Amino acid sequence: NAGVTQTPKFRVLKTGQSMTLLCAQDMNHEYMYWYRQDPGMGLRLIHYSVGEGTTAKGEVPDGYNVSRLKKQNFLLGLESAAPSQTSVYFCASSYSGWRESHEQFFGPGTRLTVL
Amino acid sequence: DQQVKQNSPSLSVQEGRISILNCDYTNSMFDYFLWYKKYPAEGPTFLISISSIKDKNEDGRFTVFLNKSAKHLSLHIVPSQPGDSAVYFCAARKDGGSQGNLIFGKGTKLSVKP
């Protein structure tokens, strides 16, 4: 099992450009999440999904869109990148919250720089 | 408003001694607390968790203590090893698991010196 994988690992964008980050999990998890990590800020939730075809806003959703067309994939889109979106992005997945096993499994991260 | 607080950005401990990482929270509705460990250039990995109905959970060298009245939890690592050097995040779950959302603290960087 690969667990949670993220594509790409690194990316440099110019202000105004768009891109999509791909997250894939092979653990048949219902829930998926996108976080960003900034120095001294911990992990902040951008968007999440509790199942195929569903998405919801997290703590810092502005400037991002997401889609979950397939259960195993969760895409994070930046329509018009800004320097404030320079960050490390982590995807995570978990079983549905009602199960005993509630921890989230994280991908290796995508380091994004917006110039 | 920060609901999960890790007030110590860093901690340095000698190999073989105990490491104690602290976490405070403000929301009494949190029902699960988790600790994650993160190495540089890797994603966080789950370490240990505790339900709000318990006051202690132990897994090998790692023990988490929960003091609900003080809204405080701590992670004890005994004995500490150089491989434990990493950033440790405290996280709390609310919503009774309906969304699985976690609120993370800012992390504490642990350095274990040989």
Side-chain angles (χ1 to χ4, degrees), chain A residues 31 33 35 37 40-43 45 48 50 90 94 96-100 102-109, chain B residues 32-34 36 38 41-46 49 89 93 95-102 104-107:
Chain A
Y31 293 4
Y33 315 84
Y35 293 91
Q37 186 194 12
M41 295 296 292
L43 291 155
L45 183 65
Y48 64 98
V50 298
F90 290 102
S94 70
S96 64
W98 299 111
R99 296 193 192 209
E100 180 138 347
H102 51 270
E103 66 263 26
Q104 295 180 12
F105 296 80
F106 283 81
Chain B
Y32 260 103
F33 301 90
L34 304 90
Y36 280 82
K38 184 183 180 305
E42 294 184 10
T45 54
F46 170 73
S49 66
F89 290 100
R93 190 185 80 167
D95 303 321
S98 61
Q99 298 157 352
N101 289 353
L102 299 178
F104 284 84
K106 294 184 178 182

Side-chain angles (χ1 to χ4, degrees), chain A residues 29-85:
Chain A
H29 286 164
E30 292 89 354
Y31 293 4
M32 296 187 75
Y33 315 84
W34 274 108
Y35 293 91
R36 60 177 290 173
Q37 186 194 12
D38 301 295
M41 295 296 292
L43 291 155
R44 293 184 293 170
L45 183 65
I46 305 172
H47 285 281
Y48 64 98
S49 167
V50 298
E52 183 178 323
T54 72
T55 63
K57 295 180 180 180
E59 180 187 355
V60 288
D62 294 342
Y64 306 95
N65 57 75
V66 287
S67 64
R68 183 119 180 253
L69 299 180
K70 295 181 178 180
K71 184 177 183 179
Q72 63 268 32
N73 296 337
F74 197 28
L75 279 63
L76 178 71
L78 286 74
E79 292 180 343
S80 179
S84 60
Q85 294 177 303

Side-chain angles (χ1 to χ4, degrees), chain B:
Chain B
D1 181 29
Q2 207 179 340
Q3 298 186 62
V4 178
K5 300 177 185 178
Q6 294 177 258
N7 292 318
S8 298
S10 63
L11 175 67
S12 184
V13 171
Q14 204 68 30
E15 181 179 5
R17 306 294 290 267
I18 184 172
S19 295
I20 300 177
L21 295 96
N22 294 306
C23 179
D24 296 296
Y25 62 95
T26 59
N27 192 335
S28 58
M29 298 303 293
F30 290 143
D31 66 339
Y32 260 103
F33 301 90
L34 304 90
W35 285 94
Y36 280 82
K37 176 179 177 179
K38 184 183 180 305
Y39 292 117
E42 294 184 10
T45 54
F46 170 73
L47 193 57
I48 192 170
S49 66
I50 187 167
S51 165
S52 61
I53 63 173
K54 297 183 178 179
D55 55 20
K56 178 182 174 182
N57 188 27
E58 192 172 352
D59 183 2
R61 296 186 297 114
F62 303 91
T63 303
V64 56
F65 296 93
L66 176 62
N67 182 334
K68 284 187 69 176
S69 60
K71 293 191 174 66
H72 176 84
L73 63 155
S74 60
L75 173 69
H76 292 213
I77 306 174
V78 183
S80 300
Q81 300 173 354
D84 296 329
S85 297
V87 177
Y88 290 78
F89 290 100
C90 171
R93 190 185 80 167
K94 58 179 181 177
D95 303 321
S98 61
Q99 298 157 352
N101 289 353
L102 299 178
I103 310 295
F104 284 84
K106 294 184 178 182
T108 296
K109 184 176 183 180
L110 174 65
S111 299
V112 180
K113 308 294 184 184

